[in-house]
């Protein structure tokens, strides 16, 4: 795991190599007066979206039908919001900039469906380490039918807000996992991708690294052929060098990773409006790294956040402390008791229930029972 984290930290080098300075030697600016800034201290500008209110209750909340949580509900709300953010940037000192990050969780993937089916304890101690169960495959999980519908709902939600002038992301970033890239693709296909916007895949935005096969990624060639309109960060390797089958990154380690990702983003991308399609663990880490109100985001959900970054030479960063990488919890019960896919389970063909008592009232009489009780070992379900 250590080597994985070191490798990830090394990723920042080629990114930082593209200079944050423009031709005149100052920071790069965008049309909303946002600018690039060296490693920064991040805070959330409160009072703009209801999601950043500590009293916000995420249960049952549908931001798609509530202007994405923007508190201002007037017809001119998005034009006003854009002007508000532009003015913040215009009036900011040279050490300060503001960006709006739309941070999204992928739609439901097969691993989410499997975790619901097997239950979280059996998932974490056993099933997450398998690539599938013979019925579903969840290594680098793809979207389920529900996941696709969730991404389509986001697409429709954006089109609705667009009528009222919501500022579109100037840049789209994606985790390299299929479920995120597919969610981005469906969300933005006929809004931005058809206008030539090329999403950028970065390792930074992938889910908690290690242990779960759903968090292992396919090779670059495979991703490139599935998502031909996407770009990769320059350091992106052909094979997944970060994933480890024994160790998993903890939430606090992930928050440090996401803060590095934000440092890179703010140092290299002057865009003011940015979309990131990632994962629940990434969103939790983002909340921790920015001090945002914490809550869990549903599959297919997203959160708009107005971030303030300050970068003084003496700037301090709130510490994010975290210890060793985690390993899988031990199973406290047989994780294979629930069996989803009969095809993967070997049941001794000679085993049948005894006919003795249960046939007396059964109608029609069941076939395949044995007149006398079975002797020998009790059959157990085994993984194929
Ligand atoms: C949050 O909302 C749900 C659904 O409306 C409700 O059942 C729950 O009690 C609320 N939780 C709190 C802490 O208010
Ligand atoms: C414009 O937006 C800002 C920030 O959301 C808000 O404080 C202000 O009340 C809005 N103004 C109008 C006229 O809606
Ligand atoms: C990349 O992955 C695809 C799909 O799993 C596989 O067919 C291909 O051989 C792999 N390519 C390399 C270079 O490993
Ligand atoms: C950095 O942010 C923290 C809050 O997270 C704040 O207490 C501290 O003063 C900030 N430091 C600078 C130099 O802005
Ligand atoms: C196999 O998985 C699908 C979802 O892909 C599910 O609808 C179906 O019920 C599963 N079949 C079995 C036998 O578990």
């Amino acid at each position: 795991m250590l080597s994985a984290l070191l490798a990830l930290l090394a990723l920042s080098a080629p990114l930082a190599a593209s200079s944050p300075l423009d031709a005149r030697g100052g920071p790069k600016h965008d049309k909303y007066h946002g600018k690039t800034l060296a490693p920064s201290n991040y805070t959330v500008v409160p009072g703009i979206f209801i999601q950043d209110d500590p009293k916000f209750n995420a249960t049952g909340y549908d931001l798609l039908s509530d202007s994405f949580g923007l508190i201002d509900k007037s017809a001119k709300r998005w034009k006003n919001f854009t002007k508000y953010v532009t003015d913040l940037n215009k009036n900011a000192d040279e050490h300060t900039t503001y960006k709006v990050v739309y941070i999204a969780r992928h739609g439901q993937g097969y691993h989410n469906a499997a975790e619901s089916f097997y239950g979280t304890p059996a998932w974490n101690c056993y099933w997450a380490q398998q690539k599938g169960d013979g019925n579903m495959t969840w290594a680098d999980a793809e979207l389920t039918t529900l996941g696709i519908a969730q991404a389509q709902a986001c697409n429709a939600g954006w089109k609705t807000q667009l009528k009222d002038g919501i500022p579109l992301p100037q840049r789209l970033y994606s985790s390299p996992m299929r479920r995120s890239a597919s969610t981005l693709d469906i969300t933005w296909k006929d809004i931005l991708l058809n206008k030539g916007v090329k999403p950028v895949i970065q390792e930074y935005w992938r889910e908690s690294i290690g242990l779960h096969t759903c968090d292992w990624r396919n090779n670059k060639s495979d991703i490139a052929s599935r998502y031909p309109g996407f770009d990769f960060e320059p350091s992106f390797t052909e094979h997944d060098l970060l994933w480890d089958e024994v160790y998993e990154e903890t939430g606090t380690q992930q928050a440090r990773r996401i803060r590095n990702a934000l440092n890179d983003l703010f140092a290299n991308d002057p865009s003011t409006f940015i979309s990131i399609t990632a994962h629940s663990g990434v969103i939790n880490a983002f909340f921790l790294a920015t001090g945002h109100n914490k809550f869990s985001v549903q599959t297919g959900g997203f959160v708009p956040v107005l971030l303030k970054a300050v970068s003084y030479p003496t700037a301090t960063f709130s510490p994010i402390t975290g210890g060793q990488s985690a390993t899988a919890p031990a199973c406290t019960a047989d994780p294979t008791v629930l069996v989803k896919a009969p095809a993967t389970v070997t049941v001794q063909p000679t085993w049948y229930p005894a006919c003795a008592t249960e046939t007396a009232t059964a109608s029609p009489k069941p076939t395949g029972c044995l007149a006398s009780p079975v002797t020998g070992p009790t059959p157990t379900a085994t993984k194929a």
Side-chain angles (χ1 to χ4, degrees):
M1 190 61 220
L2 184 62
S3 62
L5 281 177
L6 288 176
L8 196 66
L9 290 176
L11 288 175
S12 57
L15 286 174
S18 67
S19 168
L21 304 182
D22 72 8
R24 291 156 304 176
K28 288 183 198 160
H29 286 79
D30 78 344
K31 61 178 175 173
Y32 303 104
H33 297 260
K35 58 177 172 284
T36 53
L37 216 57
S40 307
N41 200 354
Y42 305 101
T43 48
V44 175
V45 179
I48 308 295
F49 294 100
I50 69 163
Q51 293 91 333
D52 53 53
D53 184 336
K55 292 196 291 292
F56 173 66
N57 181 352
T59 312
Y61 177 72
D62 175 22
L63 101 175
L64 295 180
S65 59
D66 191 40
S67 290
F68 297 176
L70 189 69
I71 292 169
D72 180 0
K73 292 288 188 281
S74 67
K76 292 187 169 156
R77 62 195 179 282
W78 290 117
K79 300 215 165 71
N80 175 39
F81 173 68
T82 306
K83 182 175 184 309
Y84 180 76
V85 175
T86 305
D87 287 347
L88 283 176
N89 273 330
K90 250 189 214 172
N91 300 326
D93 66 26
E94 58 179 313
H95 307 289
T96 305
T97 193
Y98 295 83
K99 287 189 197 299
V100 175
V101 177
Y102 303 109
I103 190 157
R105 183 180 181 192
H106 58 81
Q108 190 201 50
Y110 282 99
H111 65 307
N112 301 121
E115 180 174 350
S116 309
F117 180 79
Y118 291 110
T120 297
W123 171 253
N124 282 337
C125 79
Y126 178 78
W127 287 107
Q129 285 95 274
Q130 315 304 314
K131 291 180 178 166
D133 62 3
N135 179 40
M136 296 190 288
T137 300
W138 55 72
D140 196 0
E142 294 187 45
L143 295 178
T144 63
T145 315
L146 173 62
I148 292 168
Q150 289 170 330
Q152 287 166 339
C154 284
N155 171 272
W158 273 96
K159 286 175 180 163
T160 302
Q161 296 308 316
L162 262 177
K163 290 181 194 144
D164 290 330
I166 189 170
L168 282 171
Q170 298 156 272
R171 186 91 69 170
L172 306 172
Y173 292 102
S174 180
S175 151
M177 319 312 290
R178 286 178 178 174
R179 56 192 182 275
S180 297
S182 291
T183 301
L184 187 159
D185 191 53
I186 296 165
T187 306
W188 296 108
K189 203 175 202 81
D190 58 356
I191 301 177
L192 287 173
L193 305 192
N194 61 346
K195 307 229 165 46
V197 173
K198 298 193 94 183
V200 181
I201 293 177
Q202 294 185 323
E203 295 274 32
Y204 273 136
W205 309 113
R206 60 190 284 175
E207 187 55 300
S208 323
I209 298 169
L211 197 54
H212 294 192
T213 64
C214 56
D215 301 329
W216 164 90
R217 71 158 168 86
N218 268 283
N219 62 45
K220 184 179 179 181
S221 321
D222 180 74
I223 302 170
S225 68
R226 278 171 177 262
Y227 307 101
F230 287 44
D231 279 339
F232 293 88
E233 62 189 336
S235 58
F236 200 83
T237 55
E238 175 63 21
H239 295 287
D240 185 351
L241 304 179
L242 302 173
W243 192 82
D244 187 286
E245 65 180 7
V246 176
Y247 293 104
E248 184 186 32
E249 195 182 28
T250 62
T252 43
Q253 289 173 327
Q254 195 173 10
R256 285 202 290 263
R257 161 156 73 91
I258 295 307
R259 186 163 60 192
N260 284 341
L262 290 173
N263 285 344
D264 249 331
L265 177 74
F266 276 73
N268 293 295
D269 189 344
S271 308
T272 296
F273 297 94
I274 284 163
S275 166
I276 300 166
T277 308
H279 307 264
S280 60
V282 169
I283 297 177
N284 294 339
F286 175 88
F287 286 169
L288 192 56
T290 59
H292 192 282
N293 181 35
K294 292 184 186 64
F295 56 90
S296 69
V297 175
Q298 296 303 303
T299 50
F302 67 95
V303 188
V305 180
L306 174 51
L307 276 186
K308 175 184 183 178
V310 291
S311 177
Y312 294 100
T314 56
T316 55
F317 300 99
S318 46
I320 303 172
T321 52
Q324 297 298 306
S325 305
T327 51
C331 293
T332 53
D334 180 358
T336 61
V337 167
L338 261 183
V339 172
K340 180 132 189 162
T344 65
V345 175
T346 320
V347 176
Q348 286 162 308
T350 53
W351 184 82
Y352 296 99
C355 299
T357 52
E358 75 246 45
T359 54
T361 54
S363 169
K365 186 172 156 42
T367 54
C369 60
L370 290 185
S372 55
V374 196
T375 54
T378 309
T380 51
T382 55
K383 215 169 55 70

